[in-house]
Amino acid sequence: MQELVQRSELDFTNPTYKDAYSRINAIVIEGEQEAHQNYIDMAQLLPEHQEELIRLSKMENRHKKGFEACGNNLSVTPDMQYAQEFFSSLHGNFQKAKAEGKIVTCLLIQSLIIEAFAIAAYNIYIPVADPFARKITEGVVKDEYTHLNFGEVWLQEHFEESKAELEEANKANLPIVWEMLNQVEGDAKVLGMEKEALVEDFMISYGEALSNIGFSTRDIMRMSSHGLVA
Ligand code: Y39
Ligand code: FE
Ligand code: FE
Ligand code: FE
């Protein structure tokens, strides 16, 4: 068992901390920016939910501004190039799905996978964050549950006709999340966040969402195993 980095051991002014923060902070800013655009795109695909989706997209834009302030507060310049590359695979898959009008795949990528990733990251970050960032992140994570819920409700209401596409999209995109978690492991650890805790929290949110949508425990086990042994 590895020992958790205690908050008291973290020095937010340490160059090692700031270096790791320049990438994690950029990932979060880029993620919020892409989420903002993804909800605008989904509003076009789901005109009957346009108002709600535009409301969610505006929340993402506020999140982005909040996390930009967190970087500024620590005098860290986010490495946005790194963050764009970090998201490029998921981003590409979302763009492809959007171009093909595949709303189910778009919802799986943004409202289930990315939101569950955000919820895991923010929950694990809050206890080890600097006081300024902690306050911001506590406000943001509440919104992310609302975003996950939007995807859950829509997909639950359209479960039978979405099931096959959801399984296919899960298979294509869950392995990318494991790669992203592996890539971020070292920097997350410098910030006091353990990969094991991130994986656990992600799987709880994602698995609960699949269950609420209508998948059986057996389906969820099978879908969760995709990409795990990469
Ligand atoms: O819906 C949202 O607001 C999601 C865009 C934000 C994604 C944040 C991704 C966080 C991953 C950070 C990994 C740090 C360990
Ligand atoms: Fe957000
Ligand atoms: Fe969100
Ligand atoms: Fe509907």
Side-chain angles (χ1 to χ4, degrees):
M1 285 286 251
Q2 281 176 321
E3 234 179 86
L4 281 172
V5 177
Q6 295 299 308
R7 191 192 298 169
S8 58
E9 294 170 27
L10 294 171
D11 173 0
F12 307 118
T13 65
N14 181 304
T16 306
Y17 186 94
K18 288 173 70 171
D19 176 60
Y21 205 85
S22 72
R23 286 179 293 278
I24 303 271
N25 183 233
I27 286 170
V28 169
I29 292 167
E30 175 67 20
E32 297 294 353
Q33 168 59 39
E34 293 191 17
H36 166 71
Q37 187 58 51
N38 290 349
Y39 280 106
I40 293 174
D41 291 344
M42 289 193 286
Q44 286 188 340
L45 293 174
L46 286 180
E48 73 273 30
H49 295 282
Q50 176 145 17
E51 226 176 283
E52 170 79 348
L53 287 163
I54 294 300
R55 194 174 71 82
L56 302 188
S57 89
K58 286 178 180 163
M59 292 160 93
E60 303 295 19
N61 205 41
R62 279 197 296 276
H63 298 169
K64 177 190 171 189
K65 289 186 177 138
F67 290 123
E68 283 171 341
C70 294
N72 274 329
N73 180 54
L74 296 181
S75 306
V76 167
T77 305
D79 185 344
M80 297 311 296
Q81 162 99 44
Y82 175 88
Q84 278 175 22
E85 281 161 24
F86 181 80
F87 276 107
S88 59
S89 295
L90 274 190
H91 180 71
N93 285 353
F94 185 94
Q95 292 308 310
K96 186 166 174 285
K98 171 192 144 192
E100 294 169 352
K102 293 171 95 170
I103 183 62
V104 170
T105 300
C106 289
L107 282 168
L108 179 118
I109 293 173
Q110 174 59 49
S111 296
L112 303 187
I113 286 188
I114 298 181
E115 298 296 353
F117 195 14
I119 286 167
Y122 299 160
N123 277 335
I124 302 305
Y125 177 54
I126 284 167
V128 294
D130 66 83
F132 180 86
R134 193 181 322 139
K135 245 194 138 74
I136 301 261
T137 310
E138 280 168 349
V140 168
V141 75
K142 290 192 192 109
D143 290 347
E144 308 302 3
Y145 286 103
T146 309
H147 303 170
L148 180 67
N149 186 256
F150 177 87
E152 279 176 0
V153 170
W154 194 93
L155 290 166
Q156 188 239 319
E157 285 172 355
H158 303 81
F159 182 58
E160 282 313 320
E161 65 268 34
S162 303
K163 202 172 180 214
E165 188 177 328
L166 282 171
E167 297 213 21
E168 187 189 321
N170 173 80
K171 200 167 193 169
N173 291 287
L174 198 55
I176 297 173
V177 175
W178 302 131
E179 279 173 34
M180 291 164 89
L181 276 160
N182 284 334
Q183 194 187 326
V184 88
E185 180 177 6
D187 286 331
K189 183 151 181 133
V190 172
L191 270 51
M193 304 160 74
E194 294 290 338
K195 184 188 162 192
E196 288 72 17
L198 291 165
V199 170
E200 181 180 321
D201 214 89
F202 172 82
M203 279 318 304
I204 290 171
S205 292
Y206 187 58
E208 271 180 9
L210 293 177
S211 170
N212 292 339
I213 288 165
F215 284 105
S216 68
T217 303
R218 189 186 173 86
D219 289 333
I220 295 168
M221 294 295 171
R222 185 172 41 75
M223 289 169 77
S224 301
S225 72
H226 286 141
L228 266 180
V229 276

